[in-house]
Every structure is written in structure tokens, then in C-alpha cells.
Amino acid sequence: MSIINEANASCSQCGSPSTIKIYKSINVSDNPELKDKVKDGSLFLWECPHCGKVNLARYETLYHDPVKKLMVWMLTGNDVSETQMHAISNHTKAMGGYTLRIVTDTGSLMEKVLVKDAGLEDTAVEMCKYVTKMEMASKLGDNTRAAELFSSTFHFYRTEGEGDDRLLTFMYPLEGKMLGINIGINVYYDCIGILERNPHAKPDEGFIKIDSSWVDSIIR
Ligand SMILES: [Zn+2]
């Protein structure tokens, strides 16, 4: 079931108050029309009727795709209901095969949905980002630029092609520009292999955050 409420919001540019729709819970089996809006991020954007500024709404939401068995909890602060999270974890555990994730921004929520829809594991995708950054940084030969590259956030964007020719595209900001990099599916499979050979890389059960810090915690 999707839970859709109304809330008051102020425009970030002119400060005018508006009433906006907020999606506390998004079930894409019940409301398939919401999925594309999550994937392109438009669900969380609202336009100010006074000045035309497009604002990003920030609120907690639980995204649920029962077909793909994916639940992503997007948190905005530390106001996590541990009890609620635990109850849902137990419920999905009984159903089996669920991927439970925590994110703290809309870009990461979009990414989790895109990765799942592409049939990929987000753990291996995060490892791919790390490997790709290492590879790119080694070619830069400039410590400052390499450090900037490492601190920039890579987001999975799409896959193209079929079979062994399949490519994964990551987008990342660098020096004020949005850039893209393609990597071969073989890199992804290598990362799957690395994770399988590392028993401590198996994510804990329940809602967890799988991001660059998670990769750091494994390779350390
Ligand atoms: Zn405004």
C-alpha cells in the first residue's frame, strides 16, 4: 500500500509556502506509475507556483517493490524507528530473498531502484565504483585530482548492450561538470567474485547501508 499525504513546504528561493504531496510509503505494485518517477527523481521535485523554482522535497519514505523484492528506506535524519524497521525486517525474512537497504538521499534511492531493475547486485556495483576510481586515479598521475576523483560520488546510471558486451555507465561530478564512464560487465563479474571469496563481505540481515563506506569497511 502506498501512503500519500500532504505537507507544507517553503520555496528555497522565494520562501513562499506551498502544499506538496509527500509519499511516506511507495508500493510500486499498487502504484506502478510511481516507479518511473522514483527512477528519474521527479517524484521528489516540486515547482514553486510563485517564482517557478524547482525544489527538492526532503522527507522519510519507504520504497517497496514486491516483484523485485526490494525495500529501500530513505531517511532524512537520525529519526529512525528501530522497532518499525525490525518488524519489517522480520516480516520480509519470512518471505525470503529480500534486499533491504537504507539510503539518505534521493539520488541513492534512484540508484538502488535502477540497479535492481538492471538485474545487478548493489554490493558488486559499489565494489565496481571503487575499482573504477582506482583505475582512473592511477592514470591521472596528479594527487590533487586523484583525491578529488576519489571523493566524488559515482552513481550507477544504466546498462547497455547484451551478454559479454554489456556496459555499465556511472555518472559522477568532477571539476563542476557531470561526467560519465563506461565499464565492461567483466569488471562487475570480477567484483561479484571478490565478494563471494570474502565471507565478511556478506551484508548483514535487515536494513543496511551499502555505499562507498561499506566498501571501505570490507577492503580495509
Ligand atoms: Zn518560490
Side-chain angles (χ1 to χ4, degrees), residues 128-145:
C128 275
K129 291 180 191 174
Y130 177 81
V131 170
T132 305
K133 281 183 182 182
M134 289 286 275
E135 176 80 17
M136 290 167 75
S138 72
K139 286 176 185 162
L140 280 177
D142 173 335
N143 285 343
T144 316
R145 292 184 68 205

Side-chain angles (χ1 to χ4, degrees), residues 86 89-90 92-94 98 100-101 202-208:
H86 196 67
S89 296
N90 281 339
T92 52
K93 200 172 165 184
Y98 256 86
L100 305 177
R101 295 292 182 256
K202 192 172 158 50
D204 298 333
E205 288 190 359
F207 282 92
I208 52 159

Side-chain angles (χ1 to χ4, degrees), residues 200-215:
H200 63 280
K202 192 172 158 50
D204 298 333
E205 288 190 359
F207 282 92
I208 52 159
K209 215 171 172 182
I210 298 292
D211 56 9
S212 59
S213 304
W214 176 80
V215 175

Side-chain angles (χ1 to χ4, degrees), residues 11-16 48-53 55:
C11 174
S12 64
Q13 183 163 276
C14 72
S16 297
C48 174
H50 300 279
C51 73
K53 167 81 178 172
N55 291 279

Side-chain angles (χ1 to χ4, degrees), residues 94-151:
M95 291 189 284
Y98 256 86
T99 302
L100 305 177
R101 295 292 182 256
I102 291 172
V103 297
T104 49
D105 62 283
T106 51
S108 299
L109 170 60
M110 285 162 67
E111 181 178 39
K112 293 296 175 198
V113 178
L114 289 169
V115 166
K116 191 57 129 177
D117 278 5
L120 304 172
E121 297 288 340
D122 65 341
T123 45
V125 167
E126 288 302 326
M127 185 63 90
C128 275
K129 291 180 191 174
Y130 177 81
V131 170
T132 305
K133 281 183 182 182
M134 289 286 275
E135 176 80 17
M136 290 167 75
S138 72
K139 286 176 185 162
L140 280 177
D142 173 335
N143 285 343
T144 316
R145 292 184 68 205
E148 194 191 346
L149 178 74
F150 249 88
S151 63

